[in-house]
Amino acid sequence: MKDKGIRNNLFSSFRFALSGIVRAVKKERNLKFHLIISSIIIFLGFYYQVSAVNWMMLAIAMGLVITMEMMNTAIERVVDLVTKDFHPLAKEAKDIAAGAVLVAAVVSVVIGLIIFLPKIVDSLF
């Protein structure tokens, strides 16, 4: 009996997590943007036949940006739940979370340039 309860809890956890992902994709414009960019990167990866190591780096970079965007959204929601009024700490929390997304995005762009720029230059010349 105990195993069935664990299985149901595990299933529920995955269901809740999937629900959160779907909700974030539906409601967050920036997350949609990141998913579109990720789709383009995946297409370019296949087009330029990047190595397995490069795929791993791209997957980590894309996953990091999407994860940070979702964490940023969660932090914004919690701050908005706690206070509707302006508070310097609320602003700071939101700005720091947004900054984390920016850092992840910049690192991802650098990784993308390192991987794709030589391939694009080679294909042009």
Side-chain angles (χ1 to χ4, degrees):
M1 242 10 186
K2 188 176 179 181
D3 288 340
K4 190 173 184 177
I6 291 170
R7 215 176 0 200
N8 286 340
N9 286 340
L10 185 63
F11 180 72
S12 292
S13 295
F14 281 113
R15 212 176 59 229
F16 295 145
L18 186 58
S19 172
I21 293 168
V22 169
R23 226 178 260 135
V25 170
K26 284 182 178 179
K27 293 185 174 190
E28 290 302 310
R29 177 181 44 98
N30 289 344
L31 185 56
K32 289 176 189 171
F33 173 76
H34 293 306
L35 290 171
I36 290 167
I37 295 300
S38 293
S39 299
I40 293 167
I41 294 303
I42 291 168
F43 170 78
L44 289 174
F46 282 116
Y47 182 80
Y48 287 112
Q49 300 176 343
V50 299
S51 70
V53 171
N54 286 345
W55 273 119
M56 287 187 284
M57 296 303 294
L58 292 170
I60 290 168
M62 290 183 291
L64 179 65
V65 171
I66 290 166
T67 299
M68 293 308 297
E69 187 64 55
M70 291 175 68
M71 291 303 297
N72 179 47
T73 298
I75 289 168
E76 287 179 352
R77 296 282 198 284
V78 169
V79 168
D80 290 346
L81 179 65
V82 171
T83 181
K84 298 291 184 209
D85 300 326
F86 175 82
H87 192 284
L89 289 177
K91 179 184 181 335
E92 219 175 286
K94 288 183 171 188
D95 290 351
I96 291 168
V101 177
L102 181 60
V103 169
V106 168
V107 168
S108 294
V109 168
V110 170
I111 290 169
L113 289 173
I114 290 168
I115 293 171
F116 290 115
L117 197 56
K119 295 176 182 305
I120 292 169
V121 169
D122 283 348
S123 69
L124 292 175
F125 302 106

